[in-house]
């Protein structure tokens, strides 16, 4: 038994340790990866150099077409290591455009599915309204595409998914997380800045993960799958969710249920992990 466990651990391949391009390649069927607007296209933000920031040739967004379980798919991966995975005009346009093309494929008879790899702090502050407009376009494109095929969001690494892109995550047909992931509307530093250190200490990592970490979000019913940080485990979960087809009811259509749970929360005391779970589980 011990030898089997050791062999299993040695066979695991971390997903969070991969870069965005390697993550997209790992999820597509072998030999089917084809990148759209790769770094040689030199499609980068025109705004960052004006602020003394070195841009990236793909603006931190990788768009790849290929197959997942033999079916046409687009995988869109945000590089969390570049500008905290923040989205500006160019990267946002790449994501929205890829989702819109997938919807057009479906209208034309090619059932193209989509996976969003979300490692992002939300809008890129240096691009302000341009980034916000791009995220709004992404959200609209998700809603359009999910009419035809499931759109699956995956939050895998410690960068997490915050800001407007957390709303995009909530619009996905299905959402997967790992133990390392975080998901929330506002990041810890933002909450601390606005509400004070007594309310939220952004340096208290156990506290932060207890409220917004992957395990907590799954236990609270805000995501559909909780998976180990392993490439093959994540692939299996993706295949299983795509096999289910479109959900009977999208999570975003259940807003009344969520609002009812939130109204029951006692806002006069500091929330803890147990209180959050009890609120969403109806206890």
């Amino acid at each position: 038994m011990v030898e089997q466990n050791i062999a299993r651990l040695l066979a695991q391949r971390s997903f969070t340790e991969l870069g965005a391009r390697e993550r997209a390649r790992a999820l597509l069927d072998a030999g089917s990866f084809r990148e759209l607007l790769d770094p040689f296209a030199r499609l980068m933000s025109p705004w960052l150099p004006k602020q003394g920031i070195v841009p990236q040739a793909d603006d931190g967004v990788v768009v790849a077409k290929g197959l997942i379980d033999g079916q046409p798919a687009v995988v869109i991966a945000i590089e969390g290591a570049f500008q905290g995975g923040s989205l500006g005009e160019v990267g946002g346009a790449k994501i929205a455009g890829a989702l819109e093309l997938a919807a057009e494929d479906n209208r034309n008879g090619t059932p193209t599915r989509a996976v969003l790899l979300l490692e992002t702090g939300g809008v890129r502050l240096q691009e302000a309204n341009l980034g916000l407009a791009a995220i709004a376009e992404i959200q609209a494109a998700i809603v359009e595409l999910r009419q035809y095929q499931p759109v699956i969001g995956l939050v895998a690494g410690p960068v997490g998914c915050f800001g407007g892109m957390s709303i995009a995550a909530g619009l996905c047909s299905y959402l997967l997380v790992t133990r390392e992931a975080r998901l929330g509307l506002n990041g810890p530093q933002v909450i601390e800045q606005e509400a004070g250190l007594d309310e939220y200490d952004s340096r208290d990592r156990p506290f932060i993960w207890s409220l917004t970490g992957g395990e907590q979000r799954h236990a609270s019913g805000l995501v559909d799958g909780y998976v180990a940080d392993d490439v093959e485990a994540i692939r299996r979960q993706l295949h299983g969710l795509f096999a289910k087809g479109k959900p009977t009811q999208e999570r975003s259509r259940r807003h009344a249920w969520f609002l009812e749970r939130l109204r029951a929360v006692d806002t006069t005391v500091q929330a803890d992990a147990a209180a959050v779970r009890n609120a969403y589980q109806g206890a």
Side-chain angles (χ1 to χ4, degrees):
M1 181 64 72
V2 174
E3 292 179 353
Q4 291 178 345
N5 288 336
I6 293 174
R8 177 179 56 80
L9 290 172
L10 290 175
Q12 285 185 346
R13 182 185 175 202
S14 172
F15 189 80
T16 63
E17 292 179 2
L18 300 176
R21 189 164 285 102
E22 290 74 25
R23 289 182 180 187
R25 190 186 299 275
L27 295 184
L28 290 167
D29 293 354
S32 70
F33 175 94
R34 177 168 64 90
E35 187 169 353
L36 308 181
L37 296 174
D38 66 15
F40 290 102
R42 309 297 292 176
L43 191 63
M44 61 185 75
S45 170
W47 310 107
L48 296 182
K50 298 178 181 180
Q51 301 179 58
I53 301 172
V54 178
Q56 188 158 304
D58 55 15
D59 204 41
V61 171
V62 174
V63 178
K65 291 199 72 175
L67 303 174
I68 292 180
D69 206 16
Q71 299 299 311
V74 59
V75 177
I76 301 164
I78 300 172
E79 180 56 78
F82 178 66
Q83 292 290 302
S86 59
L87 288 182
E89 179 184 24
V90 173
K94 287 175 68 174
I95 297 174
L99 293 170
E100 289 164 0
L101 285 174
E104 184 176 347
D105 281 349
N106 278 277
R107 287 192 293 270
N108 293 333
T110 302
T112 304
R113 52 185 55 172
V115 180
L116 292 171
L117 305 183
L118 302 166
E119 301 293 319
T120 173
V123 68
R124 185 177 297 163
L125 297 182
Q126 296 93 335
E127 301 191 34
N129 290 342
L130 295 172
L132 289 172
I135 290 176
E137 291 175 357
I138 292 169
Q139 294 167 355
I142 292 172
V143 172
E144 180 183 17
L145 178 56
R146 74 184 191 184
Q147 299 177 76
Y148 305 102
Q149 294 286 328
V151 178
I152 297 180
L154 168 61
V155 187
V159 170
C161 181
F162 295 98
M165 288 306 291
S166 70
I167 299 175
L171 292 172
C172 290
S173 308
Y174 301 106
L175 196 56
L176 282 174
V177 293
T178 67
R179 182 174 181 272
E180 293 76 13
R182 292 180 296 154
L183 176 65
L185 184 58
N186 289 317
Q189 290 83 359
V190 174
I191 298 174
E192 179 184 297
Q193 176 180 306
E194 297 300 318
L197 188 63
D198 290 340
E199 176 67 22
Y200 210 89
D201 184 351
S202 63
R203 298 166 299 178
D204 189 345
R205 293 171 63 85
F207 172 70
I208 290 169
W209 257 264
S210 75
L211 293 181
T212 62
E215 183 178 7
Q216 173 71 296
R217 291 314 197 193
H218 183 249
S220 301
L222 294 171
V223 303
D224 305 283
Y226 179 58
V227 61
D229 175 27
D230 176 62
V231 170
E232 288 307 313
I234 290 172
R235 281 175 57 87
R236 287 194 298 270
Q237 284 265 19
L238 281 178
H239 291 186
L241 289 174
F242 277 127
K244 292 174 63 174
K246 295 188 300 180
T248 304
Q249 185 182 40
E250 302 285 356
R251 182 179 293 102
S252 59
R253 302 290 186 188
R254 301 179 60 208
H255 50 83
W257 186 91
F258 287 111
L259 288 173
E260 180 184 350
R261 294 298 186 274
L262 289 173
R263 280 194 290 267
V265 174
D266 183 357
T267 59
T268 64
V269 297
Q270 172 66 63
D272 58 22
V276 171
R277 293 191 187 197
N278 290 341
Y280 283 110
Q281 292 173 358

